């Protein structure tokens, strides 16, 4: 499986933008890039996913490098509620149903300062 | 908004005892996952069900762990006997279909402490 590399931790101030990087230099052409986050004492929750083009939703934006070897999750205005562990995950579209599990790394712990 | 339900939220047991966790997925979700999360690490898949069938249990320690989803709806994960190393958060997730782009919805988890 293609692996991802994320910083262990990042810090931001409330109401400022946050850019969370993810490196995936061995990504294949059929890997989707997914982001989940896990708030303290909760289960993970979906944030966003993309394949090649940049994506926006109500939670965040996903910027994908042209060579797809890296991506950045962008929180446009961080709030205290955004403090969480953010996971960048690759999922291969070629695989059958049994291989669509989420393979989590350690993620990035985001701290938001008031 | 529909949610994945899990119970109990917390469980403390002694080594060698049996424990069981229950999960009720979002209605209509055919795929159900059990993950284990050790403190400081990301969740790791233990078992995946498609309806009532197991499609992936390669990481399930089958000598002590068992999982079932008899009617293809709710599911139970059992550990017998529990060991100290089983202390972790046990997360259940569900999705409509198992695809590369489906969203998995997670429950709040059951935190297990084995003494």
């Amino acid at each position: 499986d293609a692996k991802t590399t994320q910083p262990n931790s990042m810090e931001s101030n409330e109401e400022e933008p946050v850019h969370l990087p993810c490196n995936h230099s061995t990504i294949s052409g059929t890997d989707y890039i997914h982001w989940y986050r896990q708030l303290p004492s909760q289960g993970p929750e979906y944030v966003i996913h993309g394949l090649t083009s940049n994506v926006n939703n109500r939670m965040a934006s996903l910027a994908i490098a042209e060579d797809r070897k890296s991506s950045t999750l962008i929180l446009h205005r961080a709030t205290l509620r955004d403090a969480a562990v953010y996971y960048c995950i690759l999922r291969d579209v070629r695989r059958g149903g049994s291989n669509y599990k989420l393979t989590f790394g350690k993620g990035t712990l985001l701290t938001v300062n008031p | 908004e529909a949610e994945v339900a899990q119970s109990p939220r917390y469980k403390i047991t002694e080594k060698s005892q049996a424990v069981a966790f229950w999960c009720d997925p979002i209605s209509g979700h055919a795929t159900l996952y059990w993950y284990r999360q050790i403190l400081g690490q990301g969740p790791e898949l233990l078992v995946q069900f498609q309806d009532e069938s197991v499609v992936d249990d390669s990481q399930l320690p089958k000598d002590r762990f068992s999982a079932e989803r008899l009617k293809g709806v709710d599911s139970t994960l059992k550990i017998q006997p529990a060991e100290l190393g089983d202390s972790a958060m046990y997360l259940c997730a569900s999705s409509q279909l198992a695809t590369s782009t489906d969203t998995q919805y997670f429950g709040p988890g059951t935190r297990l402490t084995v003494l």
Side-chain angles (χ1 to χ4, degrees):
Chain A
D1 288 337
K3 294 188 183 297
T4 62
T5 304
Q6 298 178 253
N8 290 333
S9 62
M10 291 185 64
E11 205 166 320
S12 173
N13 296 319
E14 200 174 9
E15 298 189 4
E16 290 184 356
V18 181
H19 291 231
L20 296 163
C22 181
N23 288 321
H24 27 78
S25 58
T26 60
I27 190 170
S28 75
T30 51
D31 281 329
Y32 275 84
I33 302 160
H34 290 250
W35 285 81
Y36 278 72
R37 73 179 185 180
Q38 187 170 21
L39 303 174
S41 301
Q42 296 188 25
E45 65 176 349
Y46 168 81
V47 178
I48 201 167
H49 75 274
L51 184 61
T52 56
S53 303
N54 295 343
V55 184
N56 300 295
N57 66 20
R58 64 175 179 80
M59 290 182 70
S61 295
L62 176 60
I64 301 173
E66 196 169 333
D67 63 6
R68 300 207 331 124
K69 293 186 177 182
S70 66
S71 60
T72 303
L73 180 70
I74 303 166
L75 307 179
H76 295 284
R77 289 185 66 199
T79 68
L80 296 178
R81 196 193 173 279
D82 291 321
V85 178
Y86 287 78
Y87 298 99
C88 171
I89 300 166
L90 302 182
R91 300 173 84 187
D92 191 342
V93 70
R94 295 172 300 172
R95 296 181 153 195
S98 66
N99 288 301
Y100 290 147
K101 64 186 178 186
L102 295 172
T103 301
F104 291 84
K106 291 189 175 183
T108 297
L109 174 62
L110 175 66
T111 301
V112 180
N113 300 313
Chain B
E1 184 174 300
E3 295 181 341
V4 175
Q6 289 189 248
S7 67
R9 292 292 309 276
Y10 303 92
K11 179 70 178 178
I12 299 174
T13 190
E14 293 187 343
K15 188 175 60 172
S16 79
Q17 295 299 303
V19 293
F21 313 130
W22 177 79
C23 171
D24 190 13
I26 293 172
S27 178
H29 281 194
T31 309
L32 185 147
Y33 307 82
W34 282 101
Y35 290 84
R36 177 172 61 184
Q37 184 173 25
I38 296 170
L39 196 62
Q41 298 183 21
E44 177 187 31
L45 181 74
L46 290 175
V47 61
Q48 175 186 342
F49 289 91
Q50 183 67 31
D51 297 310
E52 66 276 7
S53 300
V54 173
V55 295
D56 185 357
D57 62 357
S58 57
Q59 299 304 309
L60 189 70
K62 299 181 188 62
D63 57 335
R64 297 185 299 108
F65 286 63
S66 64
E68 61 183 16
R69 193 184 184 199
L70 292 176
K71 296 183 179 179
V73 181
D74 59 338
S75 175
T76 302
L77 178 69
K78 296 179 181 178
I79 308 175
Q80 183 173 15
E83 296 182 352
L84 296 177
D86 297 331
S87 294
M89 175 75 83
Y90 291 83
L91 294 158
C92 179
S94 70
S95 64
Q96 284 189 309
L97 294 170
T99 69
S100 60
T101 56
D102 70 315
T103 296
Q104 291 188 20
Y105 296 87
F106 285 79
T110 296
R111 180 163 296 283
L112 173 67
T113 302
V114 182
L115 303 175

